[in-house]
Amino acid sequence: QVQLVESGGGLVQGGDSLRLSCAASGRTFSDYAMGWFRQAPGKEREFVSGISRLGAVTKYADSVKGRFTISRDNAKNAVYLTMSSLKSDDTAVYYCAAARISRAVVTTVVSAYDSWGQGTQVTVSA
C-alpha cells in the first residue's frame, strides 16, 4: 500500500477557489491511479475525480465538471485537486485514494482503491 496525506482544505465562501494536495509515500507512485472522493454528513462517499497512473486519462463527476481539475506530479509523488466556483454543495471531507492499476484507466469504484488518506475538510459558506 501507499501512504497518503491530504492538505489544503479550509473554510471558503461560495465562488472561491481552493487547491487540495495529496502527498504519497511508500510505494512507486506512478504504479497507481489516483482518485479524489468526498463525503458529506449523512451521505455516502462519492467519486469526485480521478487520474490514471501517468496522467493521460482523467475523469470527473458530473457535479464538478468544468469547475474542478485534477493533476499529478509523479516526480513529487503528489496529486492535486484544483477547485473553483465552489458551492455550498461541495462542502464535505475530501479524501485522496490510490488504486494499483497498470493500464491507463481511471475507476470510480470506491472498493477498487486500496489506500486512503485521512481526509481534509472543505467547507463552503453560502
Side-chain angles (χ1 to χ4, degrees):
Q1 289 187 340
V2 62
Q3 287 74 50
L4 303 171
V5 178
E6 303 96 335
S7 61
L11 173 63
V12 297
Q13 292 186 334
D16 283 353
S17 298
L18 204 59
R19 188 196 197 203
L20 304 183
S21 299
C22 174
S25 63
R27 296 288 184 179
T28 303
F29 184 62
S30 58
D31 285 347
Y32 292 83
M34 300 299 297
W36 285 97
F37 291 77
R38 66 187 182 187
Q39 188 165 18
K43 295 187 178 181
E44 292 187 354
R45 190 167 299 190
E46 64 174 359
F47 173 82
V48 175
S49 182
I51 188 167
S52 59
R53 55 186 287 267
L54 299 181
V57 178
T58 58
K59 188 174 291 188
Y60 298 91
D62 288 343
S63 59
V64 307
K65 275 181 185 175
R67 300 188 299 121
F68 290 13
T69 302
I70 191 170
S71 60
R72 68 187 295 162
D73 186 338
N74 286 351
K76 295 183 177 179
N77 290 351
V79 62
Y80 309 98
L81 185 68
T82 303
M83 307 182 293
S84 61
S85 302
L86 283 163
K87 308 173 183 179
S88 56
D89 286 349
D90 297 317
T91 295
V93 177
Y94 283 71
Y95 297 91
C96 171
R100 186 153 187 171
I101 301 175
S102 60
R103 297 167 294 151
V105 298
V106 175
T107 178
T108 64
V109 178
V110 171
S111 59
Y113 291 82
D114 51 17
S115 298
W116 292 82
Q118 82 289 350
T120 185
Q121 176 71 47
V122 173
T123 302
V124 183
S125 62

